[in-house]
Amino acid sequence: MDGIAFLGRCADGDRSVHGDPDMSIQPVSKFEYTTANREWLASLHGTDSVDTITLDLNLFTEGVHYQCGDGCDPYGRVFSGVPVGKVAESKLYGPYDPEAQCGRQVLRGFVIAEAPFVPGQTRVPAALLWHGAVKASKVPGGIDVSQLVWHPRAAQIRFV
């Protein structure tokens, strides 16, 4: 049994590991709180009525739109403030792209809160800010507001 700890009860009822009454196995929990970078958000208007969406992570670019986890924190996260459009065929959301022809050429809004995901996950639930005020210069990955076109389903965003 080398390398394997055996936790049991001794005849006198004490817990022991390999007969060592001073050693026991205890579960450990770790909590970490992070705050999303919301420099891109110009006001709180619209933050109280967001929509739930599903992101297609295959369409996003690591380092620009999301960050993968590392050895200490296995969870990745899609950044708060990423502009998104809706892919017509799949009904999933991807990064806004004015040159796309799949539906992502229409800005549908911004990911309002960081969206965590596990390694290998390709569909990520997120919250969509579809109306409000945004600082264009602070949007992750950038956004050229001169390329935005009106569409009945486009986000109702005021850029400052």
Side-chain angles (χ1 to χ4, degrees), residues 71-86:
C72 296
D73 182 10
Y75 294 100
R77 59 190 173 93
V78 176
F79 300 133
S80 170
V82 172
V84 294
K86 188 175 186 177

Side-chain angles (χ1 to χ4, degrees), residues 34-94:
T34 59
T35 303
N37 179 354
R38 292 199 179 148
E39 289 181 316
W40 59 274
L41 194 58
S43 79
L44 294 178
H45 179 76
T47 60
D48 60 340
S49 59
V50 297
D51 287 342
T52 302
I53 61 172
T54 302
L55 305 172
D56 183 349
L57 201 57
N58 294 319
L59 300 172
F60 292 85
T61 304
E62 183 178 355
V64 176
H65 303 120
Y66 71 92
Q67 172 183 329
C68 284
D70 57 24
C72 296
D73 182 10
Y75 294 100
R77 59 190 173 93
V78 176
F79 300 133
S80 170
V82 172
V84 294
K86 188 175 186 177
V87 178
E89 186 176 318
S90 68
K91 308 294 187 223
L92 301 175
Y93 286 74

Side-chain angles (χ1 to χ4, degrees), residues 7 11 25 27 41-43 46 55 69 71 78-79 87 89 101 104 109 111 114 119 123 128 133 135 137-138 143 157:
L7 177 63
I25 298 175
L41 194 58
S43 79
L55 305 172
V78 176
F79 300 133
V87 178
E89 186 176 318
Q101 297 298 314
R104 292 186 300 123
V111 175
E114 290 185 346
R123 295 182 182 200
L128 177 73
K135 297 176 189 173
S137 64
K138 301 288 186 175
I143 188 167
I157 302 294

